[in-house]
Amino acid sequence: NAGVTQTPKFQVLKTGQSMTLQCAQDMNHNSMYWYRQDPGMGLRLIYYSASEGTTDKGEVPNGYNVSRLNKREFSLRLESAAPSQTSVYFCASSEAGGSHQPQHFGDGTRLSIL
Amino acid sequence: QKEVEQNSGPLSVPEGAIASLNCTYSDRGSQSFFWYRQYSGKSPELIMSIYSNGDKEDGRFTAQLNKASQYVSLLIRDSQPSDSATYLCAVNLNTGGFKTIFGAGTRLFVKA
């Protein structure tokens, strides 16, 4: 059981380049999330999708877009990468968006913007 | 004031001791509280969840919740070197949506 799979695991971009981070889950979860993690700042929510067909902004959405392609897949796009977006990105999913549901995380994508 | 606050540590305890990790939160209406463990270079993994006031035990781990004081803690008994990691406190806000706020984490070192 793979759980939450993120690709790529590592990526180096130049400022201004674009790219899409991919995330897929095989747990039949309804809700999916994208976080970034920077040293000393914990996990910050970028966007989330409560269910297939819906997306909403989190705490730090600027510079990002998302697509909930289907129930399994939730992608994060950087249209014009900036050095401030250098971070570790985690995708997560939960069974439903209800308050009591814990989240399951992928292994992360380590992204460097030069 | 940050919505979820944790002492960044590092917290250092000898092997076999009790490690006590603390977390405070600002949203009084929060309903769900989680502790995640994150090893260096790895993703967070859930170790405990708690929703009601009081204690919840699971093996060597005990989560404690006091909603009146807006305080949640994690006790690790018989600490082992393998417990050395960063522990993240997470709170699901009472927003009607699905917003989870994570603390910045407490680094724990268990000395053999």
Side-chain angles (χ1 to χ4, degrees):
Chain A
N1 189 351
V4 179
T5 303
Q6 291 183 237
T7 56
K9 295 189 183 305
F10 302 93
Q11 185 70 50
V12 179
L13 293 177
K14 294 181 179 179
T15 298
Q17 287 185 314
S18 63
M19 82 160 295
T20 299
L21 307 185
Q22 306 287 352
C23 175
Q25 51 91 10
D26 62 3
M27 296 175 283
N28 201 35
H29 285 173
N30 288 305
S31 301
M32 298 185 73
Y33 314 81
W34 276 105
Y35 293 90
R36 60 178 290 174
Q37 187 173 37
D38 302 296
M41 301 190 72
L43 289 160
R44 293 185 291 170
L45 182 65
I46 304 171
Y47 272 92
Y48 65 94
S49 172
S51 61
E52 185 178 357
T54 68
T55 60
D56 282 289
K57 295 178 180 180
E59 182 183 357
V60 288
N62 291 344
Y64 305 95
N65 286 299
V66 290
S67 295
R68 184 73 183 269
L69 303 171
N70 47 55
K71 190 172 185 179
R72 291 187 63 248
E73 299 173 286
F74 188 39
S75 63
L76 178 72
R77 183 163 178 83
L78 287 71
E79 290 291 352
S80 179
S84 62
Q85 295 177 304
T86 293
S87 189
V88 180
Y89 291 84
F90 287 103
C91 177
S93 69
S94 64
E95 185 171 335
S99 179
H100 291 347
Q101 299 300 322
Q103 296 178 20
H104 302 261
F105 287 83
D107 289 339
T109 294
R110 284 146 184 82
L111 182 61
S112 293
I113 316 295
L114 304 178
Chain B
Q1 179 188 6
K2 292 183 180 178
E3 294 182 72
V4 178
E5 295 210 48
Q6 296 180 253
N7 187 324
S8 62
L11 173 65
S12 183
V13 300
E15 183 176 1
I18 296 175
S20 178
L21 306 166
N22 304 315
C23 172
T24 59
Y25 60 94
S26 60
D27 183 356
R28 185 169 289 278
S30 297
Q31 300 293 319
S32 308
F33 308 86
F34 307 92
W35 284 99
Y36 291 83
R37 178 176 61 202
Q38 186 174 25
Y39 292 113
S40 181
K42 302 295 185 182
S43 60
E45 56 177 331
L46 179 73
I47 53 172
M48 288 289 288
S49 59
I50 187 166
Y51 314 125
S52 304
N53 278 328
D55 295 358
K56 178 181 178 183
E57 186 175 319
D58 183 359
R60 296 185 296 110
F61 299 97
T62 298
Q64 300 174 317
L65 175 61
N66 183 326
K67 290 186 177 180
S69 299
Q70 296 174 240
Y71 176 92
V72 59
S73 65
L74 178 70
L75 301 178
I76 306 175
R77 290 182 300 281
D78 188 24
S79 294
Q80 301 296 310
S82 59
D83 294 326
S84 298
T86 296
Y87 289 80
L88 305 174
C89 173
V91 177
N92 278 7
L93 300 186
N94 186 33
T95 62
F98 310 104
K99 191 174 181 182
T100 300
I101 300 296
F102 285 80
T106 297
R107 293 182 67 192
L108 173 66
F109 289 108
V110 181
K111 299 175 293 185

